[in-house]
């Protein structure tokens, strides 16, 4: 069709699972949704709405990088996570998705590419294409627990690669970046002149303590330009307040040039509203309460899942270290979509692995966010349907 850009010509055909789910909802049939990822809908603690009623909320004093008081609040929060950073090296945006758009503008000419992990959440294809940028996939080997293999990254790049994206921890795989992996990746990026973009929105949700884990690249002395992304959506469970942040690091000259250019990009959009910036210290003070409740929730639901798995089952719960999701490895027959449809007939909604670009096997992805009573109610039909697979 003429008159529209190819960048927005995404497929809109529904797959069989989406059609079946829509039909069930149209009939008003009950659903146990193990795909729920909205933290505002599952009974987790929220901050006081009065935090948004700051006396200066209706004022306007634009700062391209974000209000200094808000950036100081982010720096203070990151310090509690072990990252010592300067507010001057932070840039606020409306979301990590917007941050990605700005970084692709900063780093890439149209037709350049960035390396993205697989499996991972299916967002990068949209974000890159809308900026006229291409993606090249590097695999996260299952033999490594879906951890990063720098040889896979090196093999994926070409002459037009400008950056490597990592998701730490992986979503939905829940594998954290390790110190050895970061060191090897730093060597590759420095040699090839690549930037590192680290998506750390789930970094605060480790299920246990483990040495050698990289919680964030923010504040680290690394040989390449680095961008560490997070925001209120996951950190405080407040996706509706629309505030994300990017920490810019790396060699001083590269970092300062990147900040100067990003300030110009941010000044063009000025997307972050004043009330949420003024409320940010209080919102981040609430974050530990939300995180503690969420971690208790996901650990309990994972415990229920492991307990419900029969010892002779042909399916497994894939090991992981954090995040809000869990991955099941299931038999190749009848396969992901058929299993999802069979579960939907029982009123249980899960996602197939191909949504996240899993290959070399069959997988299901479950959210660990639903209330435990909902999660527990879904386990009996889940176990029963999976018992017929293989």
């Amino acid at each position: 069709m003429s008159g529209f850009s190819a960048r927005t010509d995404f497929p809109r055909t529904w797959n069989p699972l989406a059609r079946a789910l829509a039909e069930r909802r149209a009939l008003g049939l009950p659903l146990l949704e193990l795909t729920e990822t909205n933290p505002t809908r599952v009974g987790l603690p929220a901050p006081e709405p009065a935090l948004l009623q700051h006396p200066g909320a209706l004022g306007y004093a634009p700062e391209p990088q974000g209000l200094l008081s808000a950036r100081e609040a982010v720096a203070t929060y990151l310090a509690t996570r072990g990252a010592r950073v300067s507010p001057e090296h932070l840039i606020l945006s409306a979301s990590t998705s917007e941050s990605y758009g700005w970084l692709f503008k900063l780093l890439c000419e149209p037709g350049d590419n960035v390396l993205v992990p697989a499996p991972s959440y299916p967002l990068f294809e949209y974000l890159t294409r809308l900026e006229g940028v291409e993606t090249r996939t590097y695999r996260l080997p299952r033999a490594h627990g879906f951890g990063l293999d720098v040889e896979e990254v090196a093999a994926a790049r070409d002459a037009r690669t400008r950056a490597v994206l990592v998701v730490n921890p992986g979503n939905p795989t829940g594998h954290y970046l390790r110190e050895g992996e970061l060191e090897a990746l730093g060597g590759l990026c420095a040699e090839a002149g690549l930037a590192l973009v680290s998506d750390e929105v789930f970094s605060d949700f480790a299920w246990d303590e483990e040495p050698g884990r990289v919680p964030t690249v923010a504040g680290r002395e690394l040989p390449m330009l680095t961008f560490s992304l997070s925001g209120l959506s996951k950190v405080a469970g407040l996706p509706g307040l629309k505030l994300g942040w990017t920490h810019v690091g790396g060699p001083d000259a590269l970092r300062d040039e990147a900040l100067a250019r990003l300030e110009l990009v941010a000044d063009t959009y000025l997307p972050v509203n004043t009330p949420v910036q003024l409320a940010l210290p209080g919102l981040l003070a609430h974050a530990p309460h939300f995180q503690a409740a969420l971690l208790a929730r996901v650990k309990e639901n994972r415990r229920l899942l492991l307990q419900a798995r029969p010892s002779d089952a042909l399916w497994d719960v894939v090991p992981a270290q954090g995040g809000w999701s869990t991955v099941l490895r299931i038999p190749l027959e009848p396969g992901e979509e058929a299993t999802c449809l069979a579960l939907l007939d029982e009123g249980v909604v899960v996602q197939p692995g191909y949504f996240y670009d899993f290959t070399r096997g069959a997988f299901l992805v479950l959210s660990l966010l639903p209330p435990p009573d909902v999660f527990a109610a879904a386990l009996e039909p889940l176990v029963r349907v999976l018992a017929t697979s293989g």
Side-chain angles (χ1 to χ4, degrees):
M1 181 181 296
S2 63
F4 299 102
S5 77
R7 288 179 296 170
T8 58
D9 188 19
F10 292 100
R12 288 174 288 176
T13 304
W14 284 19
N15 59 47
L17 183 57
R19 287 197 299 270
L21 179 57
E23 290 168 3
R24 190 173 181 93
R25 284 184 171 140
L27 293 171
L29 297 175
L31 291 169
L32 296 169
E33 300 202 38
L34 301 189
T35 57
E36 181 61 81
T37 57
N38 184 339
T40 69
R41 294 197 297 226
V42 291
L44 293 169
E48 290 296 327
L51 285 173
L52 294 171
Q53 299 173 1
H54 191 281
L58 298 183
Y60 185 57
E63 294 185 33
Q65 288 185 231
L67 295 179
L68 178 59
S69 61
R71 287 182 281 125
E72 288 174 339
V74 174
T76 298
Y77 176 76
L78 290 175
T80 69
R81 317 302 292 183
R84 302 288 177 179
V85 304
S86 167
E88 300 303 319
H89 300 158
L90 289 163
I91 293 187
L92 305 187
S93 63
S95 65
T96 52
S97 293
E98 183 170 61
S99 296
Y100 275 120
W102 292 359
L103 294 180
F104 297 148
K105 289 178 176 69
L106 172 72
L107 299 171
C108 301
E109 301 290 355
D112 285 345
N113 67 72
V114 296
L115 305 185
V116 302
S120 189
Y121 52 102
L123 181 64
F124 298 131
E125 177 187 356
Y126 294 88
L127 294 174
T128 52
R129 184 164 156 184
L130 289 171
E131 299 296 337
V133 176
E134 298 177 2
T135 60
R136 292 175 65 87
T137 298
Y138 66 90
R139 303 304 306 183
L140 301 174
R142 184 158 66 92
H144 293 189
F146 296 108
L148 185 142
D149 182 342
V150 75
E151 292 184 4
E152 292 280 347
V153 180
R157 72 182 180 92
D158 68 8
R160 299 204 65 175
T161 301
R162 295 294 175 260
V164 180
L165 276 58
V166 298
V167 182
N168 183 35
N171 180 29
T173 55
H175 184 284
Y176 276 84
L177 190 67
R178 314 289 301 191
E179 288 290 348
E181 296 167 352
L182 178 59
E183 182 180 2
L185 187 58
L188 173 67
C189 289
E191 179 184 354
L194 305 178
L196 174 65
V197 180
S198 182
D199 185 327
E200 298 169 354
V201 298
F202 290 105
S203 180
D204 294 335
F205 301 96
W207 300 339
D208 54 29
E209 298 291 334
E210 188 178 4
R213 187 180 290 167
V214 177
T216 177
V217 300
R220 299 285 296 263
E221 292 189 8
L222 294 168
M224 67 292 205
L225 191 59
T226 64
F227 303 92
S228 168
L229 279 56
S230 192
L232 284 182
S233 177
K234 305 301 187 297
V235 164
L238 298 168
L241 292 189
K242 307 308 295 177
L243 188 143
W245 54 81
T246 300
H247 176 267
V248 184
D252 291 355
L254 284 175
R255 179 200 63 209
D256 292 347
E257 182 66 18
L259 282 164
R261 292 178 180 231
L262 281 173
E263 183 176 358
L264 235 163
V265 175
D267 195 29
T268 304
Y269 291 90
L270 294 173
V272 191
N273 69 71
T274 300
V276 71
Q277 292 189 75
L278 294 174
L280 195 55
L283 297 173
L284 289 175
H286 160 77
H289 304 290
F290 163 76
Q291 292 172 13
L294 185 141
L295 281 169
R297 170 77 57 83
V298 300
K299 287 180 182 180
E300 173 62 10
N301 283 342
R302 187 172 170 88
R303 184 192 69 79
L304 292 173
L305 175 64
L306 292 168
Q307 182 180 350
R309 179 187 177 275
S311 59
D312 60 348
L314 297 178
W315 57 276
D316 294 310
V317 181
V318 175
Q321 296 100 45
W324 296 4
S325 301
T326 193
V327 178
L328 308 184
R329 185 182 61 81
I330 64 172
L332 289 173
E333 297 295 336
E336 295 175 352
E337 190 161 81
T339 301
C340 288
L341 289 169
L343 285 167
L344 189 56
D345 287 341
E346 299 284 343
V348 178
V349 188
V350 300
Q351 292 179 320
Y354 70 77
F355 278 12
Y356 298 85
D357 202 14
F358 280 89
T359 58
R360 300 176 187 174
F363 301 87
L364 301 180
V365 177
L366 283 58
S367 170
L368 295 172
L369 224 54
D373 60 333
V374 173
F375 197 87
L379 288 179
E380 187 276 328
L382 177 75
V383 171
R384 176 161 33 85
V385 169
L386 289 178
T388 65
S389 301

